[in-house]
Amino acid sequence: MENLADKLNREPPEVLRSLKLIGAIAGEFGYPVYAVGGFVRDIILGVEDFDLDIVVEGDGINFTRELSRKLNVGWTAHTRFKTATIHIPGEVKIKLDVATARQEIYDSPAALPRVSFGSIKDDLRRRDFTVNAMALDISRDNFGRLVDFFNGRGDLRDKVLRVMHNLSFIDDPTRILRAVRFEQRFGFRIEPFALRLIKESLAQGMLERVHKHRLRDELILILKEPSPVKSLRRIAKLRGFRFIHSSLNIDQKTFALLKRVDELYKWFAENFVHKHKHKVEKWLLYLIVLLENLSVPELKKTLHSFAFHKNDIQKVISFKKDTAKVISKLKKEIPASGIHKILFPLSYEVVLLMLLKAKDVQIKRKIQDFLRAYSGTQIHLRGDELKELGLRPGPDFKLILKELLDAKLDGKFSTKEEELVYLKNEILSKKLSR
Ligand code: ATP
């Protein structure tokens, strides 16, 4: 059997230290211990991966308790499957998932399996693809020994995704989405027999039978890939997006827009990210475009049934509802304060996507100006300075601040001194004279 100790020794010191500590503690318990799954695949491929899946042939919970004590960090137990998670802070942030070796039995298609404890071989057999079904022994005596019952190493060399058995995509159809994701990420090929199984499972409508939250998680993982559009095209070709909504159709226009999301996000990240405290979720940009052909009621129903986060739902719907209205408002001659008033209440994801939708150069410029300057504009005077001028917090106070900000946006002043003069002469004096 191949030994990957050399590759392991080239891991960042934090990772190596954790692996060795895990091996040593497992030795004290007398448990065989392995790193498994994607981490092993990525070690062989030379891809950075700090999500470590650890499997012990023994009680994973007791083991993790001791590990977290030695590492002096907290842990979370998931008692149902005797699994536990530890986050190790530091320059390299490591996530450790520890599980007890187990086997799974699927009583009915697309439902969750029955689970019982088993050997490392059982644990590897229940996995999605052979390339994800390898283990690395990290016990002290065999550190780095590759455990490969299903020729994952050969398939990895050949860049092939092969399933573990014929019923794989019936038992768990989310594996179809995983296959597409890995195929596109690594440039692998879904092996012909597996592809046939995928098509059969899709033709039987299996994907539509999966719990929606599991589909949601896999969809988000696809949208978080560096180039998700390739995976989306592949899904469109295989069966389309019926698993999201029966009438969801992604036409060439939508694909063209999806492709532009990439450049759009890059442009935003290069020019603006440092200026904005609001983080733009790239995966959400894709989701918003992907769903743009659904109506507002369809969107609401679908997004709620998939239990997307409330804020994310609101953004998808806002794009659908507000885009045309906002673009039409921006057609008019308006001062900077007017542009600010229109765009500020919207999320950054929605504002950014409106850039793609707006055809008119003037409108695009207004949106860009908002992102570049207006959205970050603040007045100079601080709350306590305003209080010194006799202003008291309340509805009036807020209106005054807004008026001051609008005046600043419209270029009525720039320095703090000018701002103070403007406040006294243009705002407060008028208020007093009313
Ligand atoms: P990534 O690099 O995207 O994190 P990964 O392979 O590490 O990929 P995870 O979702 O973290 O993917 O899963 C870890 C491992 O668990 C996989 O490598 C695979 O062995 C197994 N696994 C995950 N999901 C499934 C599934 N639906 N069916 C069977 N095995 C699975």
Side-chain angles (χ1 to χ4, degrees):
M1 273 278 175
E2 192 171 349
N3 194 298
L4 297 178
D6 278 355
K7 287 199 182 222
L8 276 178
N9 284 327
R10 269 182 257 131
E11 283 288 298
E14 295 91 329
V15 176
L16 193 58
R17 221 179 301 129
S18 304
L19 291 171
K20 294 230 155 131
L21 178 64
I22 292 167
I25 297 174
E28 288 168 21
F29 277 83
Y31 294 162
V33 65
Y34 307 88
V36 295
F39 177 73
V40 181
R41 174 199 71 215
D42 288 344
I43 286 259
I44 298 173
L45 290 174
V47 173
E48 206 171 68
D49 185 353
F50 304 131
D51 280 356
L52 274 64
D53 282 331
I54 305 296
V55 168
V56 292
E57 285 181 323
D59 186 331
I61 299 279
N62 275 343
F63 175 80
T64 311
R65 187 176 294 119
E66 180 59 14
L67 178 62
S68 86
R69 202 181 62 76
K70 289 241 164 76
L71 286 168
N72 201 19
V73 290
W75 60 295
T76 328
H78 320 283
T79 37
R80 183 159 169 238
F81 293 149
K82 285 211 184 225
T83 59
T85 305
I86 294 184
H87 290 273
I88 308 178
E91 210 169 298
V92 173
K93 293 189 179 30
I94 302 170
K95 179 170 164 258
L96 279 178
D97 279 309
V98 182
T100 304
R102 64 183 197 248
Q103 54 179 325
E104 290 179 346
I105 297 162
Y106 286 83
D107 292 326
S108 61
L112 288 178
R114 247 185 315 131
V115 169
S116 59
F117 298 111
S119 65
I120 185 68
K121 188 168 183 181
D122 296 324
D123 197 279
L124 295 173
R125 192 183 286 115
R126 71 182 175 85
R127 290 172 185 269
D128 48 2
F129 308 108
T130 56
V131 295
N132 286 340
M134 291 180 277
L136 255 184
D137 196 332
I138 50 168
S139 62
R140 210 183 325 216
D141 294 342
N142 292 311
F143 194 75
R145 181 180 62 103
L146 184 69
V147 178
D148 180 15
F149 295 107
F150 309 103
N151 192 31
R153 185 71 183 92
D155 286 339
L156 200 53
R157 209 172 279 125
D158 297 342
K159 299 177 179 271
V160 162
L161 289 168
R162 190 187 307 277
V163 275
M164 309 293 290
H165 58 87
N166 297 3
L167 289 177
S168 189
F169 297 117
I170 299 287
D171 285 347
D172 180 357
T174 64
R175 291 172 187 157
I176 297 170
L177 299 178
R178 296 177 62 82
V180 169
R181 183 158 64 90
F182 293 129
E183 177 193 50
Q184 300 303 331
R185 183 201 295 173
F186 296 118
F188 286 1
R189 183 169 58 88
I190 301 175
E191 173 272 328
F193 180 62
L195 192 59
R196 211 177 85 205
L197 296 175
I198 287 183
K199 288 181 178 162
E200 283 171 13
S201 167
L202 287 172
Q204 289 174 46
M206 292 309 297
L207 210 46
E208 286 88 85
R209 289 174 61 174
V210 180
H211 283 291
K212 289 189 185 310
H213 70 271
R214 298 193 59 222
L215 291 173
R216 175 203 59 204
D217 290 348
E218 287 299 336
L219 179 66
I220 292 178
L221 286 177
I222 286 179
L223 300 180
K224 284 187 171 173
E225 289 287 313
S227 312
V229 183
K230 287 191 286 177
S231 296
L232 297 177
R233 276 196 194 282
R234 180 70 152 140
I235 294 169
K237 256 203 180 141
L238 283 168
R239 184 171 158 91
F241 294 88
R242 257 172 272 181
F243 70 93
I244 300 179
H245 187 280
S246 54
S247 67
L248 180 59
N249 174 33
I250 313 295
D251 51 24
Q252 283 317 312
K253 225 174 91 212
T254 305
F255 268 118
L257 218 55
L258 281 166
K259 264 205 83 73
R260 290 172 60 203
V261 168
D262 243 351
E263 307 152 34
L264 177 75
Y265 183 80
K266 218 155 121 207
W267 171 80
F268 178 77
E270 279 167 9
N271 294 289
F272 302 110
V273 158
H274 55 288
K275 284 195 209 155
H276 293 286
K277 46 186 189 306
H278 302 281
K279 195 169 164 258
V280 165
E281 294 285 358
K282 189 180 173 201
W283 72 268
L284 194 57
L285 295 176
Y286 287 111
L287 183 75
I288 294 174
V289 177
L290 188 71
L291 301 182
E292 69 160 3
N293 291 337
L294 293 180
S295 67
V296 170
E298 283 170 341
L299 277 176
K300 280 190 182 158
K301 198 161 168 240
T302 307
L303 293 164
H304 283 289
S305 70
F306 278 80
F308 275 96
H309 197 282
K310 212 172 76 209
N311 289 342
D312 297 338
I313 296 180
Q314 193 267 328
K315 290 175 187 177
V316 181
I317 290 173
S318 155
F319 179 72
K320 182 79 191 176
K321 264 175 130 167
D322 300 328
T323 303
K325 268 188 272 174
V326 165
I327 289 181
S328 130
K329 282 188 197 165
L330 290 175
K331 264 188 202 138
K332 301 188 187 117
E333 259 320 301
I334 24 174
S337 58
I339 298 173
H340 185 271
K341 191 169 165 201
I342 296 169
L343 295 177
F344 193 72
L346 302 171
S347 75
Y348 271 75
E349 282 88 353
V350 171
V351 173
L352 265 178
L353 288 172
M354 282 181 181
L355 260 182
L356 290 191
K357 281 286 178 184
K359 303 263 175 326
D360 183 308
V361 190
Q362 296 301 329
I363 297 178
K364 278 184 194 288
R365 185 157 312 135
K366 286 174 188 160
I367 300 175
Q368 285 167 348
D369 284 345
F370 170 78
L371 289 167
R372 211 185 320 272
Y374 311 158
S375 70
T377 303
Q378 284 180 340
I379 54 171
H380 293 293
L381 290 163
R382 298 283 120 240
D384 40 359
E385 292 171 305
L386 294 169
K387 279 183 207 154
E388 273 172 29
L389 291 169
L391 293 168
R392 290 282 156 263
D396 241 20
F397 187 74
K398 268 201 182 143
L399 286 177
I400 291 169
L401 293 185
K402 178 79 182 69
E403 210 175 321
L404 205 52
L405 177 67
D406 284 351
K408 183 162 185 201
L409 285 166
D410 293 339
K412 304 251 166 71
F413 55 79
S414 59
T415 67
K416 187 170 178 179
E417 290 68 34
E418 289 165 351
E419 184 173 301
L420 192 59
V421 172
Y422 188 92
L423 174 68
K424 285 183 179 160
N425 296 349
E426 300 294 325
I427 302 181
L428 297 180
S429 63
K430 280 183 193 153
K431 278 220 175 322
L432 289 174
S433 65
R434 256 183 234 151

